[in-house]
Amino acid sequence: MNEREKALRDRLWRVFQGEAQEHIDALSRHLLDLEAAPAAEVAASLIETAFREAHSLKGAARAVNVTSIESVCQAMETILARLKQREVSPTHELLDALLGATHLTQQLLQAEETKTPPPSIVATIDTLKKASWARPPVPSTKTATTKPAEASESLQSSAFSFPGQPPSKAPVTPVSAPSSPDETAPSAPAPRSESAPAETVRVTTAMLNAVRVQAEELLADKLAAIERAAELRHLSATLAEWTRRWGPALADCNSLVLHPPTGAPPTTTAQAAERLRAFLDWHKEFLPDLDARLNRAARTAAHDRQSLGAKVDALLAGTRDLLMLPFSWLLDGIRQPLRDLAREQGKEVNLVIEGEALELDRRVLSELKAPFLHMLRNSLDHGIESPAERQAAGKPRVATLAVRIAPARNGRVDIAVNDDGRGINTAKLRQAIIKSGALDAAKTAALGEDEVLQWVFGSGITTSPLITDLSGRGLGLAIVREKTEKLGGVVRIDSTPGQGTTLRLSLPLSLATFRGVVVRVGDYSLVFPVESVMRVKRVTPQQISTLENREVIVSGGEQFSLVRLAAALALPVSPTTPENAGHRPVLIVASGGLRLALLVDEICGEQEIVAKKLGPQGARLPHIAGATVLGTGRPALILDAQELIRLAVRQGESGTAAQPAVIATDMEADRKKTILVVDDSITSRTLLRSILESAGFTVETAVDGIDAFAKLRSAPFDLVVTDVDMPRLHGLGLTEKIRGDTNLSKVPVILVTSLDSSEDRERGLEAGANAYIAKRSFEESNLLDTVHRLL
């Protein structure tokens, strides 16, 4: 293959990636809408659209020779064709098969992108074939009325699918050869380069044309700038001529006035006087002409600045629009795992979406994806009750989970996630705050109800009695707040016991620019986002007091720790000048539930900031979020208030009372911990031992519960990681024996098992386990995070 053909294949593959993802998201969305049992006309439209998506994806896969995706789409197309002809009904079993196949195409696409072994398609295609030839009775017309039980099994909504998560129950096994001629095995895709694919976004030709016209209009300003440069060069040459003439004229003036020549010929004196008179005559005309030219240049420059500014603003707005996507783009990536989680927990949920057409910056949506999924999972896992609980409380059997997106003032958007579940038990939350060590009992009791609710965003604070792969670590909502504030947003929570909980986010529509407060420390200019600045004030040395070896000030009746920003950032200290000796400016910042007063040399004002990312070296400085160039032409660093406060805490310069503690892991202490791994599979034991030893722990192993209990009684262990399904004594029995032994009852136990139903988790909790990790979604980081938390 020559270079031209290779470049063509690479370009074709990049196009296919974007197109395939759109088809997969659309397929998942339409199938989930179909599962909600809509009216006959709507159902027919959804089936037709899904059929077209599968057909288009099949054709695109064939074009780049990804036969595995092509084969799965062919099987899906067969079922959808029979649905169109009403030869089969859209039962939950059939839709499960289609959704599983859709998820499999996502896995196959990711495998091709990352060049990892793809999953087998054999079992999925076999399931689709069996589903397509099942012949349940099909009514001649489908009405809008469905059985309540059938309707409540699904998420009735207008959103959700999540690429990369395992939502469906379709089997995923290693690549295998087909067992019969009509089973198709995956084959290699078209050759392409090893480099990671660049992100793409589709835009309309109308938008591109608009941006092109705006760029073309800048050509006139380019020509005008050339003219202005020529004028300024002419002015410079004119001033040079003045300098050339002024030198001799000054010499003549000095010779005539200051040092008149003695006995000089009259002609010499007359000549000098004539030259001086000629210069003064020329100078009389020169100054008005120069003044007129400068005024004309100033007026033209002002006009050009206004014209160029308007065009640059229009071009910036146009390019910003190219990166704007509807909020539904985010929802498409979350819908299916939420539906599967509801099924796994036996909960019935009606998902309501309002305002999903509102457009946000793609970068905002990308950063929001993980925290938004945390929010929805938190509502579903913690807030929404089981159908039996809801009926016992007099609530409808089907819960409502609502997402509302609405534009706000000043280029921002408000997002609310509301559930009608059990609400937050503030008594349990207060206990969790005390247990985490963030506050003592007295300070916790002094918190108001609204204040205590905001502590759900504190790291390590959880009311869940069991750590699972979904909850219990106290990190989910902490991540939500951290991500939201890094985007320049704020998050709050409201809850009413027995009625539900609402999470509210306020975010910028775009990340292209933001309002920042510029400060000066020595010779350095620094920028804080306006959202992180509570207030600014000036203090005298007498207003700075010392409390427990740290400086504090009082503002608005509140006490704040005071940190000298120059010292925190290790910058040269500016000498005190008469202008700032009496009063010093202070910036009070707040982020992540923490507040701090920063002493600076000057507060320069507020202005629009265009943020630029730092290079790789910036990754070592988490408190520096980026850089910018100010209107004066000076470079400035953009500071991350949350990371800066943490930096000050680590340096011992801050100790703000009544705030969530920063919890650090003592790695040296961890290295001395001994963990017992219990599993009857040598492969699982080896894997777990390798992970834990790589993290610095001492690890012993046991083959079953009897072996493990004997080792626990003969040697000290700090933690047990055990499987559940084992011979002789299973993991639940081992956990019960540990809890029943006086000497072992405090040893934490983590269950790592393939049994992941809600009933299995409840049995683990009843047995006394501290954490429950499903092997289906096992990740190394998940295990280590849980171990660190329990130790």
Side-chain angles (χ1 to χ4, degrees):
M1 182 186 299
N2 59 36
E3 289 299 319
R4 182 181 178 187
E5 291 174 337
K6 186 176 183 299
L8 176 61
R9 291 290 184 91
D10 289 344
R11 188 163 63 252
L12 187 62
W13 172 255
R14 289 193 293 270
V15 172
F16 169 72
Q17 283 178 300
E19 181 186 5
Q21 190 61 64
E22 289 181 5
H23 290 313
I24 291 169
D25 289 345
L27 259 173
S28 178
R29 183 170 61 251
H30 297 321
L31 291 172
L32 287 167
D33 286 344
L34 185 61
E35 190 180 45
E41 302 80 18
V42 177
S45 175
L46 289 171
I47 292 170
E48 175 64 29
T49 308
F51 177 82
R52 291 179 181 275
E53 295 289 350
H55 181 77
S56 298
L57 179 57
K58 181 183 74 172
R62 182 186 298 130
V64 292
N65 197 30
V66 185
T67 56
S68 55
I69 294 181
E70 180 187 357
S71 300
V72 175
C73 290
Q74 176 65 50
M76 295 175 68
E77 199 176 0
T78 301
I79 292 183
L80 291 165
R82 300 200 70 214
L83 280 170
K84 285 178 60 178
Q85 300 300 321
R86 297 185 179 178
E87 295 175 3
V88 292
S89 293
T91 62
H92 286 297
E93 291 74 16
L94 186 143
L95 291 173
D96 276 345
L98 287 170
L99 284 166
T102 303
H103 180 62
L104 178 60
T105 59
Q106 179 72 67
Q107 291 178 309
L108 292 169
L109 181 63
Q110 289 178 337
E112 297 295 348
E113 291 174 357
T114 58
K115 297 179 176 59
T116 55
S120 173
I121 65 173
V122 175
T124 298
I125 289 182
D126 185 56
T127 301
L128 290 170
K129 286 181 178 178
K130 290 177 181 177
S132 68
W133 291 107
R135 293 182 176 274
V138 180
S140 57
T141 58
K142 183 176 176 66
T143 64
T145 304
T146 57
K147 294 179 180 179
E150 178 183 349
S152 64
E153 285 183 18
S154 62
L155 286 168
Q156 302 174 23
S157 62
S158 61
F160 291 126
S161 130
F162 192 58
Q165 296 291 330
S168 69
K169 303 299 182 182
V172 178
T173 56
V175 178
S176 60
S179 58
S180 62
D182 60 348
E183 292 180 337
T184 308
S187 62
R192 54 191 182 275
S193 64
E194 295 293 325
S195 60
E199 279 196 88
T200 60
V201 59
R202 289 191 174 190
V203 297
T204 64
T205 55
M207 292 181 69
L208 286 177
N209 284 333
V211 173
R212 177 183 57 79
V213 169
Q214 291 164 359
E216 288 174 348
E217 289 178 350
L218 290 174
L219 290 175
D221 294 276
K222 175 183 175 182
L223 297 175
I226 294 173
E227 290 296 323
R228 299 296 85 76
E231 289 179 11
L232 290 173
R233 283 196 300 271
H234 185 67
L235 286 172
S236 178
T238 303
L239 287 173
E241 174 66 14
W242 182 90
T243 303
R244 187 184 68 79
R245 294 194 181 198
W246 171 243
L250 181 61
D252 288 339
C253 182
N254 288 336
S255 65
L256 290 173
V257 179
L258 301 177
H259 307 289
T262 303
T267 54
T268 302
T269 303
Q271 289 172 355
E274 180 59 27
R275 287 195 302 270
L276 182 58
R277 185 192 62 77
F279 171 76
L280 293 175
D281 289 342
W282 173 84
H283 194 266
K284 182 180 179 181
E285 296 179 358
F286 166 78
L287 284 180
D289 180 63
L290 179 61
D291 182 63
R293 289 185 183 182
L294 288 173
N295 285 332
R296 185 166 59 250
R299 288 194 302 271
T300 307
H303 176 270
D304 290 348
R305 181 196 61 78
Q306 186 177 9
S307 174
L308 184 60
K311 291 174 183 177
V312 168
D313 289 344
L315 183 58
L316 180 61
T319 54
R320 188 184 298 138
D321 289 343
L322 295 178
L323 287 174
M324 300 292 276
L325 291 173
F327 197 85
S328 58
W329 179 84
L330 173 64
L331 298 176
D332 285 344
I334 297 175
R335 184 181 181 188
Q336 192 164 330
L338 194 64
R339 169 251 194 198
D340 293 327
L341 178 60
R343 282 200 169 187
E344 288 173 7
Q345 297 191 351
K347 296 178 179 179
E348 300 173 10
V349 183
N350 178 30
L351 183 68
V352 177
I353 307 294
E354 295 180 8
E356 60 185 313
L358 185 68
E359 292 189 339
L360 282 79
D361 192 317
R362 182 190 179 117
R363 292 166 292 182
V364 174
L365 291 175
S366 296
E367 290 294 322
L368 190 60
K369 180 168 283 188
F372 196 69
L373 181 59
H374 277 300
M375 293 167 62
L376 293 171
R377 279 180 168 174
N378 187 79
S379 294
L380 188 55
D381 192 33
H382 291 291
I384 292 176
E385 314 95 331
S386 67
E389 286 182 84
R390 292 181 63 81
Q391 288 180 322
K395 294 183 177 181
R397 178 182 178 88
V398 180
T400 298
L401 179 57
V403 179
R404 295 180 173 87
I405 308 102
R409 294 180 300 174
N410 301 323
R412 301 182 69 82
V413 59
D414 291 335
I415 303 168
V417 176
N418 170 260
D419 67 70
D420 63 348
R422 59 174 61 92
I424 295 176
N425 187 323
T426 53
K428 286 186 177 180
L429 182 56
R430 291 177 191 272
Q431 293 172 3
I433 296 170
I434 297 170
K435 184 179 178 181
S436 73
L439 292 180
D440 58 29
K443 291 179 179 178
T444 303
L447 295 174
E449 288 294 293
D450 183 64
E451 289 178 302
V452 78
L453 277 177
Q454 308 314 313
W455 275 82
V456 298
F457 299 110
S459 179
I461 295 174
T462 178
T463 58
S464 176
L466 180 67
I467 299 177
T468 70
D469 52 338
L470 284 178
S471 61
R473 296 177 183 81
L475 294 176
L477 291 181
I479 292 172
V480 170
R481 181 174 65 184
E482 182 177 339
K483 285 283 189 181
T484 301
E485 291 183 346
K486 283 187 179 296
L487 288 170
V490 293
V491 59
R492 284 192 58 80
I493 190 168
D494 300 306
S495 184
T496 303
Q499 297 183 23
T501 301
T502 301
L503 280 161
R504 305 181 192 277
L505 276 72
S506 174
L507 292 164
L509 286 170
S510 173
L511 293 181
T513 60
F514 68 91
R515 300 294 297 178
V517 176
V518 183
V519 302
R520 182 182 60 81
V521 175
D523 294 329
Y524 295 87
S525 295
L526 305 166
V527 178
F528 287 90
V530 165
E531 289 78 11
S532 65
V533 179
M534 288 181 62
R535 66 187 76 123
V536 297
K537 65 175 299 179
R538 298 178 71 83
V539 298
T540 63
Q542 293 74 27
Q543 291 175 307
I544 302 175
S545 56
T546 302
L547 178 66
E548 297 179 355
N549 296 321
R550 55 188 173 88
E551 292 184 315
V552 298
I553 64 169
V554 176
S555 177
E558 297 181 88
Q559 190 177 81
F560 297 92
S561 290
L562 180 69
V563 169
R564 299 170 189 272
L565 189 54
L569 299 178
L571 299 176
V573 179
S574 176
T576 303
T577 60
E579 289 77 19
N580 61 14
H583 290 79
R584 296 291 302 277
V586 169
L587 197 73
I588 299 178
V589 297
S591 184
L594 302 170
R595 298 174 298 174
L596 192 66
L598 298 170
L599 193 68
V600 299
D601 292 335
E602 181 184 2
I603 296 176
C604 305
E606 180 183 327
Q607 70 176 65
E608 196 81 6
I609 300 295
V610 179
K612 302 292 183 183
K613 289 186 177 180
L614 296 175
Q617 66 275 14
R620 295 176 297 172
L621 303 169
H623 54 282
I624 297 179
T628 188
V629 177
L630 303 176
T632 59
R634 288 176 55 89
L637 293 176
I638 302 169
L639 297 181
D640 184 320
Q642 185 171 339
E643 293 294 341
L644 182 63
I645 295 173
R646 289 175 178 172
L647 174 67
V649 170
R650 289 195 296 270
Q651 292 176 342
E653 297 215 40
S654 166
T656 306
Q659 299 300 334
V662 179
I663 301 173
T665 301
D666 185 349
M667 294 303 295
E668 292 303 315
D670 285 343
R671 295 181 189 280
K672 301 175 184 177
K673 304 291 185 181
T674 302
I675 297 175
L676 179 63
V677 171
V678 190
D679 202 305
D680 59 328
S681 166
I682 187 172
T683 302
S684 296
R685 289 199 306 273
T686 303
L687 172 64
L688 292 170
R689 181 172 194 157
S690 175
I691 292 172
L692 293 168
E693 285 183 341
S694 297
F697 298 102
T698 300
V699 180
E700 295 289 335
T701 61
V703 297
D704 58 29
I706 296 294
D707 184 25
F709 195 67
K711 291 187 175 183
L712 283 165
R713 301 191 70 174
S714 62
F717 289 91
D718 299 289
L719 185 139
V720 175
V721 178
T722 180
D723 186 19
V724 171
D725 191 8
M726 297 181 294
R728 298 207 295 171
L729 180 63
H730 54 66
L732 297 179
L734 172 62
T735 305
E736 290 172 349
K737 289 178 73 67
I738 291 173
R739 293 291 172 257
D741 189 294
T742 305
N743 297 323
L744 301 175
S745 60
K746 300 297 184 182
V747 176
V749 177
I750 300 175
L751 300 178
V752 180
T753 174
S754 58
L755 306 173
D756 62 347
S757 68
S758 57
E759 292 81 6
D760 293 322
R761 296 173 191 270
E762 290 175 8
R763 284 194 289 268
L765 178 61
E766 291 170 359
N770 299 89
Y772 196 106
I773 299 176
K775 288 183 178 179
R776 177 177 63 85
S777 56
F778 178 81
E779 292 182 4
E780 178 178 337
S781 60
N782 191 356
L783 172 65
L784 292 177
D785 286 346
T786 305
V787 170
H788 285 309
R789 172 162 172 73
L790 293 176
L791 291 179

